[in-house]
Amino acid sequence: MRTGKRASTKGPAAVVWLRQDLRLADNPALQAACRRGGPVVPVYVWAPEEEGAWPPGSASRWWLHHSLEQLAAACDAAGSKLVIRRGASLAELRRVAEAAGADAVFWNRRYEPAAIARDRQDEQGLRAAGLQTESYNGALLHDPWTIQNKSGRPFQVFTPFWRTCLASGEPAAPLPAPQTLIPPSRRPASLPLMVLGLEATHSWTNGLRAAWQPGSKGAHAELHRFLRSGLLSYDEGRNRPDLPGTSRLSPHLHFGEISPRQVWHAVRRLAESRSIPAAAWRHWQFLTELGWREFAHHLLFHFPHTPEQPLRSQFARFPWRKNSGWLRAWQRGRTGYPLVDAGLRELWATGWMHNRVRMVAASFLVKNLLIPWQEGARWFWETLVDADLANNTLGWQWTAGCGADAAPFFRIFNPVSQGEKFDPEGSYVRRWVPELARLPGRWICQPWQAPPSVLAAAGVELGVNYPRPIVSLLVSREVALEAYTRLIQEKQ
């Protein structure tokens, strides 16, 4: 409990540089600073120029604004205010350390190529200034370089990778949040959050606000909801966009409002409370999805060129098309294929898209339209609240067939059959494509096949209030497979 008296300190202050670890609990860098017994100065530096070709997109910036707002309140309640700065991270960290009388800077590691290069330079600069530095793993169950195959090389196939992760031992128990943070006697100057300009006005702002609660409280609320009503039915529910069967933890994990260790051990506690043996729950599909997140960061760390270039280099010669009209139709959910359009409209309205629909929408872009996967990755980066460079890269290269452990190129998702299987009542499509809401279920995923009388009764005018398909599924599939066949023959 806080009192009106300043707590006594045992040493100089330590700066904690916060980035994608916007939480107090299970924060190794913060714990390291607290263990010293002196003042703790939490700092966030907004430096998008240091993110290379991938500064946060609009949806991510909206989320970041509200996450920092929640983090600042949590720091204030614990006793030490969050310092917000704008500028070069090295210069700002040195200024904050000098102002607070700090002799150390701690942070949790990031694994994106630009962040790794920046952190290396900042570490050298801080040490040159006489400051102690330490970095920690606060984002993953395993640092990417600690998991190797028998040849000492990085994995490129998921199953043996995750098997090795599971065999390496149980993740450590999460660290508790510090009860108090001792403030420095001289508080460094801080910018008002609004000065960063993260919460620009967009047509989707109200939709994002209605769909999400950024911050650690929101993260734990989603986790508790999922554990209560989604985990035990996850194998089936995760594929149903018409049901609340997913955890919706991805943006919270990306911004570090909750850690993978916290999630893992929450699942473990629930399993143990139901006397489910470890041999069973450790292989639950939901924890395997955490494993895919680990695998994505493993690949990005070891193959840093992959956000822009295919891991399988022969795909650099693939005959992609440039068609701005088709790309725009896809982005806005106007392709004429209801499941694809529903997904892109959900994305625009809420900053999120169900994972099954992501795969279908991505497959349609790269295999039916033959538009480069990089275009889709850029659009997701701009519009997803959970835009994560590792996950985004893995997902798009997997769909395009050009990455590690990728789906073969000839696996082309059919948006009609996918909708009929995973949105059997058409509820998802009706929600996000309301102009089709009155169509009978038989036609909801393929309105162009409906008899004219059925369309008229439902108030659907193809080409007027809902577009006709921009390409033929059959013809576009054959064109894509022919292009892929030529690519393979050229390699031979």
Side-chain angles (χ1 to χ4, degrees), residues 144 147-150 152-165 295 298-299 302-303 311 404:
I147 304 297
Q148 300 176 333
N149 63 22
K150 293 181 180 179
R153 303 283 298 170
F155 284 97
Q156 294 190 45
V157 178
F158 172 74
T159 299
F161 166 83
W162 187 231
R163 188 183 300 123
T164 302
C165 288
F295 188 48
H298 177 86
L299 292 172
H302 290 291
F303 305 100
L311 181 62

Side-chain angles (χ1 to χ4, degrees), residues 310-330:
L311 181 62
R312 296 172 61 185
S313 59
Q314 67 267 32
F315 271 85
R317 304 190 309 275
F318 193 87
W320 300 111
R321 291 171 171 164
K322 290 185 178 181
N323 190 316
S324 59
W326 284 0
L327 177 61
R328 181 72 173 176
W330 179 85

Side-chain angles (χ1 to χ4, degrees), residues 12-15 36 39 41 93-94 96-105 130-131 186:
V15 170
R36 290 161 44 100
V41 186
L93 290 170
R94 290 181 60 174
V96 170
E98 181 179 3
D103 69 347
V105 180
L131 293 162
R186 294 175 293 164

